[in-house]
Amino acid sequence: MEPTLNQITDWAHEAGAILRAGFRQKFAIFHKGPIDLVTEMDRRSEDLLLERIRTTFPDHAIFSEESGRLNGNHASQWFVDPLDGTVNYAHGIPIFSVSLAYAFEGELRFGVVYDPIHDETYAAEVGRGATLNGVAIHPTQVDRMVDGLLVTGFPYTLGHPDKPDNLDIFPRMARRAQGIRRLGSAALDLCYVAEGRLDGYWEVELQPYDLAAGVLIAREAGSAATRLDGDTEVLTPPCTIVAANPRLHALMLEVIQGNS
Ligand code: 2AM
């Protein structure tokens, strides 16, 4: 049995309601690494989502931020980020989301990213386009770097000698783009590009649950979304991502690869 987009949207809304109720309230914060946090609210949101998925689809595989990989290699695969933008949430900054995606035999089928503070629901079903609160969305047509308002992020592994840190790419982009933002939720970054609030996005060292829903939404809206080397297989960790309308995407790849 396959899920439906309505079902996934309902679950994202339920998890989002938990995050909204807890926002700026007292909650426990734990450190996963020196700068990588998890809050009690990540866990409560994840508990709800895992309970919904497992009750309805007990044998499906799940890859989830706080619980890792569950149920092995089933053809039906869920990607769960119960709170994308945890550091923002912990600081009381209202830029965060619930990100939930479903893939079958490696193909992304459904994706929902819900921003519970602004009550914005980005949703996509493969082959059927992408929407914000039910209205079709599309990326901008910007086709020059100088007109592009871009967004990026820096990984929790920053400072690790063997991991890419994005600090080499950042100045090259900054010198060419109209501007660069750093919002702190990869899922929302992708949705903002899909909808045309921002023109382009790139980031390194992400995990599939950060990207899966947003990538489907961006592609269904009409964006190109690939790894930094142009490969379309974006869900193999460690993940890298570049997303923009196809023309700007090509220009961003040239800058990233040092050819421009
Ligand atoms: P999180 O809030 O769910 O932890 C910030 O640029 C974005 O990148 C957030 O979406 C954050 O996800 C994610 N992120 C940063 N470093 C990461 C890492 N090492 N692994 C997974 N996600 C990461």
Side-chain angles (χ1 to χ4, degrees), residues 65 81 83-86 153 155-156 182 184 186 203 205-207 210:
E65 174 151 19
D81 194 341
L83 170 45
D84 188 55
T86 301
Y156 298 130
R182 196 273 192 250
E203 193 161 351
E205 281 294 312
L206 293 167
Q207 289 292 329
D210 295 316

Side-chain angles (χ1 to χ4, degrees), residues 5 8 12 63 77-82 84 97-103 107-114 121-126 129-131 137 186-192 194 207-221 225 234-235 241:
L5 190 57
I8 297 173
F63 190 13
Q77 170 78 60
W78 293 83
F79 297 96
V80 180
D81 194 341
D84 188 55
S97 58
V98 177
S99 176
L100 190 54
Y102 170 83
E107 180 195 52
L108 285 166
R109 291 272 173 97
F110 299 105
V112 174
V113 174
Y114 180 51
T121 306
Y122 293 90
E125 178 173 349
V126 67
T131 57
I137 55 172
L188 285 180
D189 293 339
L190 282 162
C191 291
Y192 285 6
Q207 289 292 329
Y209 45 74
D210 295 316
L211 294 176
V215 161
L216 183 63
I217 291 163
R219 286 177 176 164
E220 286 296 320
V234 293
L235 297 185
I241 185 77

Side-chain angles (χ1 to χ4, degrees), residues 92-93 169:
I93 298 170
I169 301 171

Side-chain angles (χ1 to χ4, degrees), residues 139-143 193 199 222-224 243-250:
T140 63
Q141 296 302 310
V142 162
D143 60 0
V193 168
D199 300 298
S223 309
N245 75 60
R247 178 74 190 118
L248 187 66
H249 176 268

